[in-house]
Each structure stands twice: as C-alpha cells, then as structure tokens.
Amino acid sequence: MPSTTRRFSTVASPTHTPGPDRRNKLLGRLSLPERRYIANALRTETVGGVLLLVAAIAALTWANIPALAESFDRVRSFHIGPASLGLDLSLQHWAADGLLAVFFFVAGIELKRELVAGDLRDPKAAALPVIAALCGMAVPALVYLLVNTLGDGSGAGWAVPTATDIAFALAVLAVIGTSLPSALRAFLLTLAVVDDLFAILIIAVFFTSDLDFAALGGAVAGLVLFWFLLRAGVRGWYVYVPLALVIWGLMYNSGVHATIAGVAMGLMLRCTRKEGEQHSPGEHIEHLVRPLSAGLAVPLFALFSAGVSLSDESIAQVFTRPETLGVVLGLVVGKTVGIFGGTWLAARFTRAELNEDLAWPDVLAVASLAGIGFTVSLLIGELAFAGDEVLTDEVKAAVLIGSLIAAIVASAMLKLRNRKYRALTEAEERDDDLDGIPDIYEQDNPEYHLRMARIHEEKAAEHRRMAEAAGLGRAAASDTAGGEAAGGSSTRANRPA
C-alpha cells in the first residue's frame, strides 16, 4: 500500500458525485485504506480514553474524600530525581513534563504524517480542518477574554479553553454507545491533529520562561544528532532512548517546556515508505509508542492533575469567578460556535455541499463534542497560573465542569441521530460477498457485481430446491391425510351402533 494512501484522515478532501454533477462534497466518504487506518487508530485512542476517564474519576475521588485527601497531596507532591541535573521534581511535575512528552511525541508523528502524506499536504484538502480548528481555538479564546474583560479578571488563561481532547471525546462516544460514521470520526480526528499543532505553538511561544541558552543549545545539538542518526539509518532503541532522555532533560532546563522536545523528535521521523517497506519508521514507532501514551502516560497525568476539590462552594465559584467562567463558556460555547462556524464558512467559500448522508446538526454535535478539553487544557491551566495554586485548582475544576457540560450536550444531540448513524455504519461495514472489502466500496467494480450475481443465483437455486421439497412434502402429507380420512370413514361406517 503506498504511503500516500495511509492518511490519518481525508475527511476534508473534496469527493465527487458520479455523473454530470461533480460538485465538491463536504465530509465525503473516506477511501478504504484511510477508513481502515482510522479504525485501527481509534481502537487505541478509545481504550486510552476510557483509561483516562477512569483515572480522572479516581483522582477526583481520591482528592475529595476527607480521609484520603491529605495522602493525595503527599503522593503527588513527592519529589524524586537527580537534583544535580535540575530534575528533582514532584510526581505531578514528572507527569506534566515527562509523561506528556510521550503524548506530544506521538502528536508530532501524526503531524508529520499529515504534512507529508495526509490532508495537510494538499492546501485545498487542508482548508476545512485548518479553518475549523483555527476558528475552534480563536472563538474560545475571545469568549474567555470577553468574560474576563467585563468581569475584571485575569487574561492569562485565554489559551486554556482552546484545546480538544480526542481520547476523552472518544471515551464519551464509547460510554454512550453512539456509532459515528467514519467521516464524522475522521473529521473529529483531523480537528484534533490541527488543534494539537496550534496548542504546541501556544505552549512554545507563550509559556516559555527565562531561557538558559547553554541548555537550549545542548538540546538543539541533541536534536541535530537525533536527525543525523535517523537519516544515516542507525537502528536500535538503545541508541535513541538515552539520546531522547538527554534531549528532554536539556530542553527542560532551558526554560522551554519539555514537551516541545517530544514534538520535535516526532516531527523528525520519516513517515513515507521506501520501496519494499511495509511500514515507514514513523508508522512503526507510532504503533509501538501510542499504547504507552494512551494507556499509561496520559492517564497518569490525569491522575495527578485532575484531583481538585469539588465542594459546593468551589463549584459555585466556577460560575461566578471570571477566569473560571471564561473557561467553561469557552469550552461549551466557544468551541461549538467556532468549529461549526468555521466549517460552515469553509463550505460556503469553497462552494462545497455537505454529504447527503449527513446534516448540519451532525456537524454541530461533533463541534460540541470537541468542547471536551481535558489533557492539554489542564496542562495549559497549570502553566498559565503557575504560582497561584488556588486559582490553578479552580481553573482545573472549570475545565472538568466545562468538559462535562460539553459531553452531556453533545451526547444528547448525537443520541437524536443515533439510529441514522447506526444505519450508515452498518452500510459501511456490510460485506455480502465476504471478500473482506465492504460492498459500498465496490459499486464500481464489475467483478463484485458478477460475484453477487452468482451468490444470488446460488441462493435462488437453493430456494427453488427448498420450494420443490416443501411442495412434495405437502403433497405427501395431503395424500396421507386423505388416506387416513378415508380409512377413518370406513371404520366409522363399520362400527356397530
């Protein structure tokens, strides 16, 4: 399979209807290789999302049971690491700066694949996800700034409601049992990829502290060596893992957020295949590391970061303090309006028509689902209000509450169309000729129709045989019944009165 067909998603790619009407279709059907790849990626993300949900619930339970709350603070504040290297960090700090570097490493690989073999390679195809994601980040930021300007609050948290957590969104879909068509799932995934790109840029530009140029120079030198070894074809985890740890440590001490090291290394991997390769190095490494990211790194981050007090007073304050209210409204209203509005504008200006199997309320529901901003929102909240522990916890509570509201609203809208989604999904998966390829992808293949003709002819012949056998059976039964009836009459006639 050529590397150019293994895209993360091509939901925004213009598809065309057969015949003379060749207008662009918005959210058209994915190609079969793309659909299969997305299905495989979604399995890992969905499992990771469920683990993330469990970790968040565990953290909230641990932090809000009076008998356990003190132990929670002790555990996440426990320091470990070599102080001589500037890495004597708390467990919470290790989760945010260390484990999330793994998450951003996977994000870097996804971005690289999109840039060289996916939607972002083609400016026309990239228009929808880029415009929708940009609007889906700009509008929440504007909502936050508007609320805090009117309420005389701090503008430092403007970036908190801009992020989408794809794993948590997929976990919500799994919990409510909604089966989204592949086009809508791919749209959500593509949004998350572009969203991650801009979240990385926000962290790098706006949340970099005083720079240590010596450490930064060492990190850059390490990245250059990493790139050179990759291009030279050097293999072996025992080469790259120690080098990656050195780069991460130098990046952390440089003042640039350490997760940027993960992104940089992910972007350096080759994501196109050479002749004879079944998988590119980027695909292979992503396949190995994604379970570690989704199943361990992100849930542990959630365990140490999501544990905030949710007393009646703190919950009430979420809706009265401008910083926290701005986060909630940014996630629930800003994300929905931004993504839906950006998608509508992209369709209007590109003159694309929405896929006839879908409706604009479907786009609105997915836009609302994108308001679940958990992992990166929590991280940005910690960075934006560093030094103010009380406000940091309140902003985290706002992220949790805003994400919960967005999940409930999206679930309600998606459930209204669940029957339609189930029918579309069944049609996408139907394989009557049992050749491993869904029938919907073989409508232009003459061999498929010949196979189906043979299958129907064999079924028709079998039913004719069954009909003949049933007819003979009825005839025999009728003769037997007639004979018994005649015999019974004779017996009755000869019976004495």
Side-chain angles (χ1 to χ4, degrees):
M1 187 187 305
S3 61
T4 54
T5 63
R6 284 286 298 258
R7 303 180 190 176
F8 188 63
S9 127
T10 56
V11 67
S13 301
T15 58
H16 301 286
T17 55
D21 184 8
R22 301 187 63 83
R23 290 169 290 186
N24 289 343
K25 289 292 181 184
L26 191 68
L27 302 180
R29 185 186 307 137
L30 304 177
S31 71
L32 182 59
E34 293 156 358
R35 181 180 178 276
R36 285 174 171 170
Y37 179 78
I38 289 172
N40 291 333
L42 284 173
R43 290 191 193 99
T44 304
E45 291 290 352
T46 302
V47 172
V50 173
L51 292 175
L52 179 63
L53 183 60
V54 171
I57 294 173
L60 289 170
T61 303
W62 194 359
N64 286 276
I65 295 178
L68 300 176
E70 186 177 348
S71 67
F72 177 74
D73 289 332
R74 284 201 309 268
V75 169
R76 68 175 178 176
S77 300
F78 180 76
H79 278 63
I80 189 173
S84 59
L85 299 177
L87 296 175
D88 183 18
L89 310 176
S90 67
L91 292 181
Q92 183 179 3
H93 210 163
W94 275 111
D97 288 86
L99 292 178
L100 279 194
V102 179
F103 166 79
F104 279 103
F105 174 71
V106 175
I109 298 175
E110 293 172 347
L111 289 171
K112 178 65 175 291
R113 185 177 58 245
E114 282 294 288
L115 290 169
V116 300
D119 286 347
L120 303 183
R121 181 188 58 169
D122 180 1
K124 291 183 179 179
L128 175 63
V130 170
I131 292 173
L134 279 174
C135 293
M137 298 184 82
V139 176
L142 291 174
V143 168
Y144 177 92
L145 291 173
L146 177 62
V147 171
N148 281 270
T149 299
L150 296 176
D152 196 24
S154 171
W158 64 270
V160 175
T162 61
T164 293
D165 195 307
I166 183 62
F168 220 128
L170 292 174
V172 170
L173 291 178
V175 169
I176 66 175
T178 297
S179 180
L180 280 184
S182 59
L184 287 178
R185 286 179 176 257
F187 178 52
L188 185 62
L189 286 168
T190 309
L191 279 175
V193 170
V194 181
D195 195 292
D196 284 342
L197 170 62
F198 290 107
I200 291 163
L201 292 175
I202 288 172
I203 292 172
V205 174
F206 295 99
F207 297 104
T208 295
S209 57
D210 295 335
L211 290 177
D212 183 331
F213 288 99
L216 182 59
V220 171
L223 289 171
V224 171
L225 178 59
F226 188 89
W227 179 86
F228 177 78
L229 292 174
L230 288 173
R231 293 303 175 268
V234 176
R235 297 186 178 184
W237 65 268
Y238 46 83
V239 175
Y240 292 101
V241 172
L243 178 58
L245 292 174
V246 171
I247 294 171
W248 176 86
L250 289 168
M251 189 70 74
Y252 175 82
N253 283 288
S254 73
V256 177
H257 199 270
T259 54
I260 302 301
V263 175
M265 287 184 279
L267 288 171
M268 289 182 180
L269 294 176
R270 177 168 59 83
C271 293
T272 55
R273 301 181 201 174
K274 294 181 179 178
E275 186 175 352
E277 286 185 337
Q278 291 186 345
H279 305 286
S280 69
E283 290 174 321
H284 177 66
I285 293 173
E286 182 190 5
H287 177 73
L288 295 176
V289 179
R290 184 186 285 274
L292 175 64
S293 170
L296 180 65
V298 176
L300 280 178
F301 168 77
L303 181 64
F304 291 120
S305 294
V308 295
S309 174
L310 292 179
S311 63
D312 293 341
E313 182 181 351
S314 62
I315 292 175
Q317 197 164 6
V318 164
F319 296 98
T320 56
R321 185 161 184 166
E323 292 88 352
T324 51
L325 181 60
V327 169
V328 172
L329 292 179
L331 289 171
V332 178
V333 178
K335 271 289 185 182
T336 305
V337 172
I339 292 175
F340 181 81
T343 306
W344 185 83
L345 289 173
R348 182 171 180 83
F349 286 106
T350 58
R351 297 183 179 180
E353 291 186 354
L354 189 65
N355 181 359
E356 59 272 8
D357 291 331
L358 302 174
W360 281 107
D362 300 323
V363 180
L364 184 66
V366 172
S368 181
L369 189 65
I372 300 174
F374 189 76
T375 306
V376 179
S377 290
L378 291 177
L379 175 61
I380 294 177
E382 292 181 356
L383 297 174
F385 298 102
D388 189 339
E389 187 174 343
V390 174
L391 183 53
T392 298
D393 283 349
E394 290 176 352
V395 167
K396 286 182 179 181
V399 170
L400 296 175
I401 292 172
S403 297
L404 177 62
I405 295 173
I408 292 173
V409 173
S411 298
M413 289 191 287
L414 291 170
K415 275 296 186 181
L416 293 175
R417 295 269 291 169
N418 195 38
R419 182 177 297 178
K420 177 68 173 180
Y421 297 153
R422 189 180 295 115
L424 291 173
T425 303
E426 290 174 356
E428 290 178 352
E429 296 175 351
R430 187 171 181 176
D431 183 19
D432 286 340
D433 61 343
L434 303 177
D435 66 343
I437 300 175
D439 297 340
I440 201 168
Y441 289 95
E442 296 192 279
Q443 297 305 306
D444 295 330
N445 182 6
E447 294 181 1
Y448 159 76
H449 293 289
L450 293 174
R451 285 196 302 271
M452 290 303 301
R454 288 194 295 271
I455 290 171
H456 287 303
E457 288 169 359
E458 291 172 359
K459 287 184 178 180
E462 177 65 21
H463 282 292
R464 280 193 291 269
R465 288 193 296 270
M466 294 172 66
E468 291 172 359
L472 291 174
R474 283 199 303 271
S478 177
D479 291 342
T480 302
E484 291 177 350
S489 298
S490 175
T491 301
R492 286 193 298 273
N494 297 324
R495 184 179 300 162

